[in-house]
Amino acid sequence: MQFPAQERFADGAQFIAGRLARGSSGRTHAVVDPATGDDVHTYALAGTDDVDAAVAAARAAFPGWAGATPAERSEALHRFSAVLADRAEDLARAESLQCGKPLKLSREFDVPGTVDNTAFFAGAARHLQGQSAGEYSGDHTSYVRREAIGVIGSIAPWNYPLQMAAWKILPAIAAGNTVVLKPAELTPLTSLLFAEAATAAGIPDGVVNIVTGTGREAGEHLVGHPDVAMTSFTGSTAVGRRVAEVATATVKRLHLELGGKAPFVVFDDADLDAAVNGAVAGALINTGQDCTAATRAYVQRAVYEEFVARTAALMETVRLGDPFAPTTDLGPLISHVQRDRVAAFVDRARGYARVVTGGEAPGGDLAKGAYYRPTLIADAPQDSEIVQSEIFGPVLVVLPFDTDDEGIRLANDTPYGLAASAWTRDVYRAGRATRDIKAGCVWINDHVPIISEMPHGGFKQSGFGKDMSAYSFEEYTQIKHVMFDNTAVVRKDWHRTIFGDR
Ligand code: NAD
């Protein structure tokens, strides 16, 4: 059985102050199953009044939640993790239905990752770190308080809706903030299930709120809202720029997790079997709709042709199909619009590069879904669109290089810097690659794995700020210096700079 979205969200697709509600924008949006094109659930979109109500609920909940002890917040998050684990199958089915992800991916990656993230932040809630208190001036004791910031306005994309909701909400609430999250309007279902699970775990009403509306209306209103203290955004670099502009008016603290165009650098001593398997998995994860997906393989000349032939052959074995079928490796893209966008990139590339395999939508039973075949493109110039732009589909471009320095230079030659990998058995090459590649994550001999304990976030135009890990926990706190005079002296030594002599 698929997920019964109509029934579960009959009361609406907004979650404000602990309950579902209908949006008041006067407009509706359909969640569509991209595997079939069928309408899964049509709901009323949030308007600005709903954003105001959610922010008011979050503001009202803030003093109580920020005032809870770290142990109390930690216990609530442990219960939250347990409720999510109990509801794992529901979450996986809803995620696969709205995104078209193979059920095995939702079950084995998205949902367990979210449960683990929740458990991680339950622990982190009790471990705020900082500089030690001390008499740094000699006459005073100084210490640092790390405090919750207030209401956090978060905006998430459609590619990993559940994990993105988790990455935004968990560190924020672990630190004592309250949150209003706007998921992408295409994929609200698992964000709503996540918020319901928070309430079921006893997290107070108003700590986690979801407003499901468009970016222009609900998103910009949330970013510009005077009662929102910080904006945390994950999405494209283009929209991130707009979010930064809107946030400037109220001088908001910003966290931007933006686009990527991850390089995959294969040196001539690499284990080629491992590199070929890694390239296909790294490029096709989530049908290529992954900000860290391998998109540009740079392969040293001696092994280039062999890599191209073997990668194409392996890509051709990947099975497209119904996301709910156990034999399916690759689902559709998120929508027909996204599929057509990817196809247009590939069609334009035919003029200047070689399409080695793929490059078309499948026919037959899959024709009505937003499917696109795994695609390998060789011999594109470094400055071409297909090498430089984020495609967000199952497309890998392969280019040759000669010297190690050239491989690293080409890897760094895009405006993005989110993630990268290098493939070699030479420890010195690996060391140089990790030092010289400008990206927030560099894998050696793998591509894609993430873990709750380690930070995820970009360099360059991939944004700033970190998700997951203790680093993201810190992002959702603000630092206050407290200074106590220890002398009780009325006229202090430094006062002579204002009046009198020593
Ligand atoms: P998008 O930028 O189109 O939309 C992201 C979110 O922003 C959606 O909720 C959307 O409704 C909202 N939005 C749109 N216009 C807005 C506006 N003017 N003001 C406020 N909010 C607005 O991105 P997408 O197509 O949903 O997702 C794909 C993009 O996300 C890719 O670029 C991908 O690389 C990026 N991404 C990055 C990371 C990361 O960690 N760096 C993770 C996942 C996805």
Side-chain angles (χ1 to χ4, degrees):
M1 203 204 45
Q2 289 186 350
F3 179 81
Q6 304 265 27
E7 215 174 294
R8 290 295 296 276
F9 298 114
D11 291 338
Q14 318 302 327
F15 190 84
I16 299 172
R19 59 199 61 85
L20 291 170
R22 290 204 175 78
S24 67
S25 69
R27 285 174 299 114
T28 59
H29 188 87
V31 177
V32 171
D33 174 356
T36 59
D38 294 343
D39 179 347
V40 165
H41 180 46
T42 296
Y43 65 91
L45 284 162
T48 54
D49 288 349
D50 304 305
V51 174
D52 290 345
V55 172
R59 208 176 161 202
F62 178 71
W65 184 247
T69 63
E72 286 164 345
R73 285 197 294 270
S74 172
E75 282 160 20
L77 284 161
H78 277 302
R79 291 194 301 270
F80 189 11
S81 177
V83 173
L84 291 167
D86 279 350
R87 300 181 179 185
E89 188 58 17
D90 241 17
L91 287 162
R93 287 183 172 271
E95 195 74 326
S96 282
L97 182 63
Q98 65 181 354
C99 299
K101 284 176 208 270
L103 191 57
K104 66 179 177 183
L105 181 64
S106 301
R107 275 184 182 155
E108 293 172 30
F109 181 63
D110 300 73
V111 176
T114 299
V115 171
D116 186 64
N117 244 268
T118 312
F120 172 80
F121 283 109
R126 302 182 75 164
H127 287 280
L128 266 179
Q129 307 268 335
Q131 207 177 350
S132 69
E135 288 65 49
Y136 295 94
S137 80
D139 290 340
H140 310 81
T141 297
S142 282
Y143 64 85
V144 163
R145 289 173 56 85
R146 269 191 183 277
E147 298 179 355
I149 300 169
V151 177
I152 312 296
S154 296
I155 297 184
W158 45 256
N159 60 338
Y160 291 105
L162 176 62
Q163 294 203 81
M164 294 302 105
W167 290 12
K168 298 282 154 214
I169 291 171
L170 293 168
I173 67 173
N177 302 283
T178 56
V179 178
V180 177
L181 171 89
K182 192 204 86 62
E185 50 277 38
L186 296 174
T187 54
L189 305 182
T190 46
S191 306
L192 294 166
L193 292 176
F194 189 73
E196 285 184 330
T199 299
I203 291 177
D205 293 350
V207 172
V208 176
N209 305 274
I210 309 289
V211 287
T212 310
T214 64
R216 276 274 167 207
E217 188 175 356
E220 287 202 15
H221 193 64
L222 182 60
V223 175
H225 204 294
D227 290 339
V228 171
M230 169 176 168
T231 294
S232 173
F233 172 84
T234 298
S236 61
T237 298
V239 175
R241 262 185 221 113
R242 173 69 190 147
V243 164
E245 265 171 38
V246 175
T248 301
T250 45
V251 196
K252 277 197 178 56
R253 186 192 270 237
L254 261 185
H255 177 144
L256 297 177
E257 295 288 349
L258 307 178
K261 186 77 184 172
F264 183 104
V265 183
V266 182
F267 294 100
D268 55 13
D269 69 303
D271 176 339
L272 212 59
D273 275 340
V276 166
N277 279 278
V280 174
L284 300 185
I285 176 95
N286 209 36
T287 316
Q289 302 163 120
D290 182 311
C291 51
T292 65
T295 58
R296 300 175 286 140
Y298 295 99
V299 183
Q300 211 149 19
R301 188 87 56 189
V303 292
Y304 177 71
E305 286 303 340
E306 187 182 350
F307 179 90
V308 170
R310 291 176 60 182
T311 301
L314 187 59
M315 271 188 172
E316 286 163 12
T317 68
V318 171
R319 300 161 298 176
L320 276 66
D322 171 5
F324 287 86
T327 49
T328 293
D329 297 321
L330 201 71
L333 287 113
I334 187 69
S335 65
H336 289 77
V337 171
Q338 181 67 7
R339 195 268 310 273
D340 295 347
R341 192 176 159 269
V342 169
F345 268 111
V346 174
D347 289 342
R348 288 192 294 275
R350 290 181 210 280
Y352 55 77
R354 174 162 61 104
V355 177
V356 184
T357 187
E360 60 177 10
D365 289 351
L366 301 181
K368 61 182 180 355
Y371 289 90
Y372 197 71
R373 288 201 188 285
T375 299
L376 187 69
I377 295 182
D379 309 336
Q382 172 66 17
D383 62 356
S384 60
E385 176 193 59
I386 203 96
V387 176
Q388 293 291 324
S389 302
E390 188 178 41
I391 299 169
F392 235 53
V395 178
L396 177 65
V397 187
V398 196
L399 297 90
F401 69 90
D402 291 303
T403 64
D404 289 19
D405 284 351
E406 185 193 8
I408 302 288
R409 182 179 60 73
L410 293 171
N412 284 330
D413 178 32
T414 73
Y416 297 109
L418 188 58
S421 64
W423 297 73
T424 176
R425 285 185 271 216
D426 179 332
V427 69
Y428 302 105
R429 273 179 158 164
R432 284 195 298 272
T434 58
R435 183 193 63 194
D436 295 339
I437 294 179
K438 305 296 176 218
C441 172
V442 180
W443 292 281
I444 297 296
N445 296 329
D446 207 343
H447 195 112
V448 165
I450 49 174
I451 39 171
S452 298
E453 290 82 355
M454 286 288 143
H456 168 92
F459 284 18
K460 296 157 66 181
Q461 290 188 32
S462 291
F464 47 81
K466 299 294 176 192
D467 282 324
M468 303 200 292
S469 78
Y471 295 98
S472 87
F473 187 41
E474 285 184 5
E475 302 246 347
Y476 292 95
T477 63
Q478 52 193 350
I479 294 166
K480 180 185 283 176
H481 170 208
V482 178
M483 200 173 197
F484 273 77
D485 168 53
N486 292 333
T487 62
V489 171
V490 173
R491 183 162 284 204
K492 300 184 190 338
D493 194 37
W494 71 268
H495 290 178
R496 76 179 188 278
T497 59
I498 312 299
F499 43 72
D501 301 323
R502 193 186 280 271

mmCIF file of all heavy atoms in Angstrom, residues 155-159 164 182-185 214-216 219-220 223 233-236 239 242-243 257-260 291 390 392 418 456, ligand 1:
data_model
loop_
_atom_site.group_PDB
_atom_site.id
_atom_site.type_symbol
_atom_site.label_atom_id
_atom_site.label_comp_id
_atom_site.label_asym_id
_atom_site.label_seq_id
_atom_site.Cartn_x
_atom_site.Cartn_y
_atom_site.Cartn_z
ATOM 1 N N ILE A 155 13.782 27.352 5.359
ATOM 2 C CA ILE A 155 13.196 27.066 4.039
ATOM 3 C C ILE A 155 13.952 25.892 3.429
ATOM 4 O O ILE A 155 15.191 25.872 3.445
ATOM 5 C CB ILE A 155 13.284 28.315 3.143
ATOM 6 C CG1 ILE A 155 12.444 29.423 3.803
ATOM 7 C CG2 ILE A 155 12.802 28.015 1.729
ATOM 8 C CD1 ILE A 155 12.331 30.684 3.018
ATOM 9 N N ALA A 156 13.203 24.912 2.924
ATOM 10 C CA ALA A 156 13.824 23.655 2.471
ATOM 11 C C ALA A 156 13.451 23.334 1.020
ATOM 12 O O ALA A 156 12.397 23.751 0.537
ATOM 13 C CB ALA A 156 13.381 22.524 3.395
ATOM 14 N N PRO A 157 14.301 22.562 0.345
ATOM 15 C CA PRO A 157 14.035 22.154 -1.037
ATOM 16 C C PRO A 157 13.285 20.816 -1.098
ATOM 17 O O PRO A 157 12.993 20.207 -0.069
ATOM 18 C CB PRO A 157 15.443 21.996 -1.601
ATOM 19 C CG PRO A 157 16.228 21.470 -0.444
ATOM 20 C CD PRO A 157 15.617 22.068 0.798
ATOM 21 N N TRP A 158 13.033 20.335 -2.318
ATOM 22 C CA TRP A 158 12.215 19.136 -2.515
ATOM 23 C C TRP A 158 13.014 17.850 -2.661
ATOM 24 O O TRP A 158 12.438 16.779 -2.755
ATOM 25 C CB TRP A 158 11.320 19.292 -3.755
ATOM 26 C CG TRP A 158 12.011 19.858 -4.973
ATOM 27 C CD1 TRP A 158 11.883 21.132 -5.450
ATOM 28 C CD2 TRP A 158 12.945 19.199 -5.846
ATOM 29 N NE1 TRP A 158 12.687 21.319 -6.552
ATOM 30 C CE2 TRP A 158 13.345 20.140 -6.827
ATOM 31 C CE3 TRP A 158 13.483 17.905 -5.902
ATOM 32 C CZ2 TRP A 158 14.259 19.838 -7.844
ATOM 33 C CZ3 TRP A 158 14.397 17.602 -6.913
ATOM 34 C CH2 TRP A 158 14.769 18.562 -7.872
ATOM 35 N N ASN A 159 14.341 17.922 -2.711
ATOM 36 C CA ASN A 159 15.067 16.693 -3.087
ATOM 37 C C ASN A 159 15.163 15.663 -1.958
ATOM 38 O O ASN A 159 15.107 14.467 -2.215
ATOM 39 C CB ASN A 159 16.444 17.021 -3.672
ATOM 40 C CG ASN A 159 17.334 17.775 -2.720
ATOM 41 O OD1 ASN A 159 16.855 18.420 -1.788
ATOM 42 N ND2 ASN A 159 18.625 17.702 -2.951
ATOM 43 N N MET A 164 15.952 17.277 4.974
ATOM 44 C CA MET A 164 16.168 18.728 5.042
ATOM 45 C C MET A 164 15.389 19.331 6.207
ATOM 46 O O MET A 164 15.877 20.218 6.910
ATOM 47 C CB MET A 164 15.767 19.403 3.727
ATOM 48 C CG MET A 164 16.630 19.031 2.540
ATOM 49 S SD MET A 164 18.387 19.400 2.776
ATOM 50 C CE MET A 164 19.041 17.776 3.052
ATOM 51 N N LYS A 182 9.352 26.261 6.109
ATOM 52 C CA LYS A 182 8.564 26.201 4.870
ATOM 53 C C LYS A 182 9.178 25.151 3.958
ATOM 54 O O LYS A 182 10.264 25.357 3.406
ATOM 55 C CB LYS A 182 8.554 27.557 4.145
ATOM 56 C CG LYS A 182 7.494 27.569 3.034
ATOM 57 C CD LYS A 182 7.755 28.563 1.942
ATOM 58 C CE LYS A 182 8.660 28.055 0.859
ATOM 59 N NZ LYS A 182 8.171 26.893 0.095
ATOM 60 N N PRO A 183 8.494 24.006 3.804
ATOM 61 C CA PRO A 183 9.023 23.012 2.850
ATOM 62 C C PRO A 183 8.710 23.469 1.421
ATOM 63 O O PRO A 183 7.940 24.410 1.218
ATOM 64 C CB PRO A 183 8.227 21.748 3.189
ATOM 65 C CG PRO A 183 6.989 22.211 3.877
ATOM 66 C CD PRO A 183 7.240 23.585 4.428
ATOM 67 N N ALA A 184 9.293 22.781 0.448
ATOM 68 C CA ALA A 184 8.938 23.059 -0.947
ATOM 69 C C ALA A 184 7.470 22.657 -1.148
ATOM 70 O O ALA A 184 7.028 21.643 -0.599
ATOM 71 C CB ALA A 184 9.841 22.267 -1.878
ATOM 72 N N GLU A 185 6.760 23.425 -1.927
ATOM 73 C CA GLU A 185 5.320 23.162 -2.076
ATOM 74 C C GLU A 185 5.037 21.821 -2.776
ATOM 75 O O GLU A 185 3.979 21.235 -2.609
ATOM 76 C CB GLU A 185 4.601 24.341 -2.753
ATOM 77 C CG GLU A 185 5.195 24.882 -4.039
ATOM 78 C CD GLU A 185 6.336 25.890 -3.860
ATOM 79 O OE1 GLU A 185 7.173 25.710 -2.936
ATOM 80 O OE2 GLU A 185 6.433 26.811 -4.679
ATOM 81 N N THR A 214 4.071 29.027 -1.307
ATOM 82 C CA THR A 214 5.055 29.244 -2.368
ATOM 83 C C THR A 214 6.241 30.044 -1.821
ATOM 84 O O THR A 214 6.143 30.700 -0.782
ATOM 85 C CB THR A 214 4.437 30.046 -3.536
ATOM 86 O OG1 THR A 214 4.094 31.341 -3.040
ATOM 87 C CG2 THR A 214 3.208 29.351 -4.106
ATOM 88 N N GLY A 215 7.347 29.986 -2.552
ATOM 89 C CA GLY A 215 8.529 30.737 -2.139
ATOM 90 C C GLY A 215 8.273 32.223 -2.151
ATOM 91 O O GLY A 215 8.618 32.944 -1.211
ATOM 92 N N ARG A 216 7.665 32.689 -3.216
ATOM 93 C CA ARG A 216 7.429 34.134 -3.374
ATOM 94 C C ARG A 216 6.548 34.690 -2.262
ATOM 95 O O ARG A 216 6.791 35.765 -1.744
ATOM 96 C CB ARG A 216 6.750 34.413 -4.726
ATOM 97 C CG ARG A 216 7.723 34.514 -5.844
ATOM 98 C CD ARG A 216 8.268 35.941 -5.945
ATOM 99 N NE ARG A 216 9.420 35.929 -6.823
ATOM 100 C CZ ARG A 216 10.406 36.794 -6.767
ATOM 101 N NH1 ARG A 216 10.425 37.734 -5.847
ATOM 102 N NH2 ARG A 216 11.395 36.727 -7.618
ATOM 103 N N GLY A 219 7.425 32.112 1.554
ATOM 104 C CA GLY A 219 8.867 32.095 1.802
ATOM 105 C C GLY A 219 9.409 33.494 2.071
ATOM 106 O O GLY A 219 10.063 33.739 3.088
ATOM 107 N N GLU A 220 9.114 34.426 1.183
ATOM 108 C CA GLU A 220 9.660 35.787 1.367
ATOM 109 C C GLU A 220 9.068 36.448 2.606
ATOM 110 O O GLU A 220 9.748 37.218 3.298
ATOM 111 C CB GLU A 220 9.415 36.632 0.114
ATOM 112 C CG GLU A 220 10.317 36.193 -1.006
ATOM 113 C CD GLU A 220 10.564 37.236 -2.083
ATOM 114 O OE1 GLU A 220 10.280 38.435 -1.881
ATOM 115 O OE2 GLU A 220 11.046 36.816 -3.155
ATOM 116 N N VAL A 223 11.040 35.127 5.505
ATOM 117 C CA VAL A 223 12.405 35.662 5.553
ATOM 118 C C VAL A 223 12.399 37.126 6.028
ATOM 119 O O VAL A 223 13.261 37.555 6.794
ATOM 120 C CB VAL A 223 13.092 35.550 4.170
ATOM 121 C CG1 VAL A 223 14.472 36.207 4.178
ATOM 122 C CG2 VAL A 223 13.219 34.083 3.754
ATOM 123 N N PHE A 233 18.353 28.627 5.117
ATOM 124 C CA PHE A 233 17.809 28.285 3.795
ATOM 125 C C PHE A 233 18.630 27.183 3.141
ATOM 126 O O PHE A 233 19.862 27.243 3.136
ATOM 127 C CB PHE A 233 17.836 29.543 2.911
ATOM 128 C CG PHE A 233 17.490 29.282 1.464
ATOM 129 C CD1 PHE A 233 16.165 29.226 1.048
ATOM 130 C CD2 PHE A 233 18.495 29.089 0.510
ATOM 131 C CE1 PHE A 233 15.849 28.979 -0.286
ATOM 132 C CE2 PHE A 233 18.176 28.842 -0.823
ATOM 133 C CZ PHE A 233 16.850 28.788 -1.221
ATOM 134 N N THR A 234 17.972 26.199 2.567
ATOM 135 C CA THR A 234 18.636 25.241 1.676
ATOM 136 C C THR A 234 17.905 25.257 0.347
ATOM 137 O O THR A 234 16.683 25.103 0.308
ATOM 138 C CB THR A 234 18.633 23.821 2.255
ATOM 139 O OG1 THR A 234 19.368 23.830 3.474
ATOM 140 C CG2 THR A 234 19.298 22.828 1.310
ATOM 141 N N GLY A 235 18.637 25.462 -0.715
ATOM 142 C CA GLY A 235 18.026 25.487 -2.049
ATOM 143 C C GLY A 235 19.041 25.934 -3.071
ATOM 144 O O GLY A 235 20.260 25.805 -2.853
ATOM 145 N N SER A 236 18.572 26.476 -4.172
ATOM 146 C CA SER A 236 19.476 26.839 -5.267
ATOM 147 C C SER A 236 20.217 28.136 -4.946
ATOM 148 O O SER A 236 19.756 28.961 -4.143
ATOM 149 C CB SER A 236 18.670 27.004 -6.548
ATOM 150 O OG SER A 236 17.728 28.040 -6.369
ATOM 151 N N VAL A 239 18.021 31.324 -5.805
ATOM 152 C CA VAL A 239 17.024 31.704 -4.788
ATOM 153 C C VAL A 239 17.740 32.144 -3.507
ATOM 154 O O VAL A 239 17.302 33.084 -2.830
ATOM 155 C CB VAL A 239 16.017 30.556 -4.530
ATOM 156 C CG1 VAL A 239 15.066 30.915 -3.391
ATOM 157 C CG2 VAL A 239 15.209 30.262 -5.791
ATOM 158 N N ARG A 242 18.379 35.784 -3.572
ATOM 159 C CA ARG A 242 17.160 36.559 -3.305
ATOM 160 C C ARG A 242 16.850 36.536 -1.796
ATOM 161 O O ARG A 242 16.496 37.561 -1.208
ATOM 162 C CB ARG A 242 15.998 35.956 -4.123
ATOM 163 C CG ARG A 242 14.654 36.542 -3.835
ATOM 164 C CD ARG A 242 14.532 37.986 -4.318
ATOM 165 N NE ARG A 242 13.317 38.597 -3.833
ATOM 166 C CZ ARG A 242 13.196 39.889 -3.531
ATOM 167 N NH1 ARG A 242 14.201 40.720 -3.700
ATOM 168 N NH2 ARG A 242 12.054 40.368 -3.091
ATOM 169 N N VAL A 243 16.995 35.381 -1.171
ATOM 170 C CA VAL A 243 16.745 35.246 0.268
ATOM 171 C C VAL A 243 17.698 36.181 1.039
ATOM 172 O O VAL A 243 17.291 36.881 1.971
ATOM 173 C CB VAL A 243 16.906 33.771 0.706
ATOM 174 C CG1 VAL A 243 17.038 33.634 2.211
ATOM 175 C CG2 VAL A 243 15.724 32.948 0.186
ATOM 176 N N GLU A 257 22.599 27.051 2.530
ATOM 177 C CA GLU A 257 23.131 25.806 1.953
ATOM 178 C C GLU A 257 22.650 25.768 0.506
ATOM 179 O O GLU A 257 21.467 25.534 0.252
ATOM 180 C CB GLU A 257 22.574 24.585 2.700
ATOM 181 C CG GLU A 257 23.010 24.482 4.140
ATOM 182 C CD GLU A 257 24.467 24.100 4.287
ATOM 183 O OE1 GLU A 257 25.110 23.706 3.302
ATOM 184 O OE2 GLU A 257 24.967 24.225 5.416
ATOM 185 N N LEU A 258 23.559 26.003 -0.447
ATOM 186 C CA LEU A 258 23.113 26.250 -1.820
ATOM 187 C C LEU A 258 23.543 25.131 -2.773
ATOM 188 O O LEU A 258 23.835 24.027 -2.351
ATOM 189 C CB LEU A 258 23.620 27.619 -2.254
ATOM 190 C CG LEU A 258 23.250 28.752 -1.280
ATOM 191 C CD1 LEU A 258 23.815 30.080 -1.736
ATOM 192 C CD2 LEU A 258 21.743 28.849 -1.068
ATOM 193 N N GLY A 259 23.600 25.448 -4.032
ATOM 194 C CA GLY A 259 23.805 24.434 -5.068
ATOM 195 C C GLY A 259 25.208 23.834 -5.056
ATOM 196 O O GLY A 259 26.109 24.296 -4.348
ATOM 197 N N GLY A 260 25.373 22.806 -5.871
ATOM 198 C CA GLY A 260 26.671 22.146 -5.977
ATOM 199 C C GLY A 260 26.912 21.635 -7.390
ATOM 200 O O GLY A 260 25.989 21.572 -8.221
ATOM 201 N N CYS A 291 22.601 17.584 -3.985
ATOM 202 C CA CYS A 291 23.513 18.728 -4.126
ATOM 203 C C CYS A 291 24.977 18.290 -4.113
ATOM 204 O O CYS A 291 25.841 19.014 -4.591
ATOM 205 C CB CYS A 291 23.231 19.750 -3.040
ATOM 206 S SG CYS A 291 23.198 19.004 -1.410
ATOM 207 N N GLU A 390 24.549 23.606 -12.627
ATOM 208 C CA GLU A 390 23.935 22.518 -11.859
ATOM 209 C C GLU A 390 22.739 21.984 -12.663
ATOM 210 O O GLU A 390 21.804 22.731 -12.963
ATOM 211 C CB GLU A 390 23.470 23.048 -10.499
ATOM 212 C CG GLU A 390 23.015 21.942 -9.586
ATOM 213 C CD GLU A 390 22.600 22.436 -8.206
ATOM 214 O OE1 GLU A 390 21.941 23.482 -8.115
ATOM 215 O OE2 GLU A 390 22.921 21.748 -7.220
ATOM 216 N N PHE A 392 21.031 18.825 -11.893
ATOM 217 C CA PHE A 392 20.119 18.181 -10.946
ATOM 218 C C PHE A 392 19.300 17.079 -11.615
ATOM 219 O O PHE A 392 18.066 17.057 -11.581
ATOM 220 C CB PHE A 392 19.214 19.226 -10.289
ATOM 221 C CG PHE A 392 19.281 19.178 -8.785
ATOM 222 C CD1 PHE A 392 20.501 19.236 -8.136
ATOM 223 C CD2 PHE A 392 18.124 19.067 -8.018
ATOM 224 C CE1 PHE A 392 20.572 19.175 -6.743
ATOM 225 C CE2 PHE A 392 18.188 18.996 -6.632
ATOM 226 C CZ PHE A 392 19.414 19.057 -5.999
ATOM 227 N N LEU A 418 30.729 22.650 -2.857
ATOM 228 C CA LEU A 418 30.019 21.936 -1.789
ATOM 229 C C LEU A 418 30.732 20.630 -1.418
ATOM 230 O O LEU A 418 30.980 20.368 -0.247
ATOM 231 C CB LEU A 418 28.576 21.658 -2.226
ATOM 232 C CG LEU A 418 27.666 21.081 -1.148
ATOM 233 C CD1 LEU A 418 27.585 21.992 0.062
ATOM 234 C CD2 LEU A 418 26.262 20.842 -1.718
ATOM 235 N N HIS A 456 28.155 19.422 7.209
ATOM 236 C CA HIS A 456 27.846 19.464 5.781
ATOM 237 C C HIS A 456 27.565 20.921 5.431
ATOM 238 O O HIS A 456 26.693 21.548 6.037
ATOM 239 C CB HIS A 456 26.605 18.604 5.504
ATOM 240 C CG HIS A 456 26.044 18.802 4.127
ATOM 241 N ND1 HIS A 456 26.418 18.027 3.054
ATOM 242 C CD2 HIS A 456 25.167 19.701 3.649
ATOM 243 C CE1 HIS A 456 25.770 18.445 1.972
ATOM 244 N NE2 HIS A 456 25.003 19.454 2.306
HETATM 245 P P1 NAD B 1 14.845 26.248 -4.914
HETATM 246 O O1 NAD B 1 15.937 27.216 -4.597
HETATM 247 O O2 NAD B 1 14.056 26.455 -6.148
HETATM 248 O O3 NAD B 1 13.773 26.234 -3.724
HETATM 249 C C1 NAD B 1 14.157 25.969 -2.392
HETATM 250 C C2 NAD B 1 13.073 26.502 -1.466
HETATM 251 O O4 NAD B 1 13.043 27.922 -1.564
HETATM 252 C C3 NAD B 1 11.656 26.017 -1.769
HETATM 253 O O5 NAD B 1 10.988 25.783 -0.547
HETATM 254 C C4 NAD B 1 11.059 27.213 -2.478
HETATM 255 O O6 NAD B 1 9.641 27.289 -2.371
HETATM 256 C C5 NAD B 1 11.712 28.361 -1.739
HETATM 257 N N1 NAD B 1 11.735 29.643 -2.457
HETATM 258 C C6 NAD B 1 11.668 29.858 -3.800
HETATM 259 N N2 NAD B 1 11.709 31.191 -4.052
HETATM 260 C C7 NAD B 1 11.804 31.816 -2.851
HETATM 261 C C8 NAD B 1 11.887 33.182 -2.465
HETATM 262 N N3 NAD B 1 11.879 34.159 -3.360
HETATM 263 N N4 NAD B 1 11.973 33.463 -1.142
HETATM 264 C C9 NAD B 1 11.997 32.484 -0.220
HETATM 265 N N5 NAD B 1 11.909 31.176 -0.533
HETATM 266 C C10 NAD B 1 11.828 30.835 -1.835
HETATM 267 O O7 NAD B 1 15.515 24.819 -4.844
HETATM 268 P P2 NAD B 1 14.853 23.417 -5.200
HETATM 269 O O8 NAD B 1 14.658 23.380 -6.667
HETATM 270 O O9 NAD B 1 13.705 23.159 -4.289
HETATM 271 O O10 NAD B 1 16.024 22.408 -4.749
HETATM 272 C C11 NAD B 1 17.132 22.141 -5.512
HETATM 273 C C12 NAD B 1 18.301 23.029 -5.113
HETATM 274 O O11 NAD B 1 18.606 22.860 -3.727
HETATM 275 C C13 NAD B 1 19.579 22.657 -5.839
HETATM 276 O O12 NAD B 1 20.234 23.839 -6.245
HETATM 277 C C14 NAD B 1 20.402 21.926 -4.780
HETATM 278 O O13 NAD B 1 21.786 21.940 -4.978
HETATM 279 C C15 NAD B 1 20.019 22.669 -3.558
HETATM 280 N N6 NAD B 1 20.290 21.863 -2.356
HETATM 281 C C16 NAD B 1 21.379 22.193 -1.593
HETATM 282 C C17 NAD B 1 21.690 21.438 -0.459
HETATM 283 C C18 NAD B 1 22.881 21.800 0.397
HETATM 284 O O14 NAD B 1 22.989 21.230 1.478
HETATM 285 N N7 NAD B 1 23.763 22.693 -0.008
HETATM 286 C C19 NAD B 1 20.893 20.355 -0.111
HETATM 287 C C20 NAD B 1 19.800 20.041 -0.913
HETATM 288 C C21 NAD B 1 19.505 20.818 -2.038
#
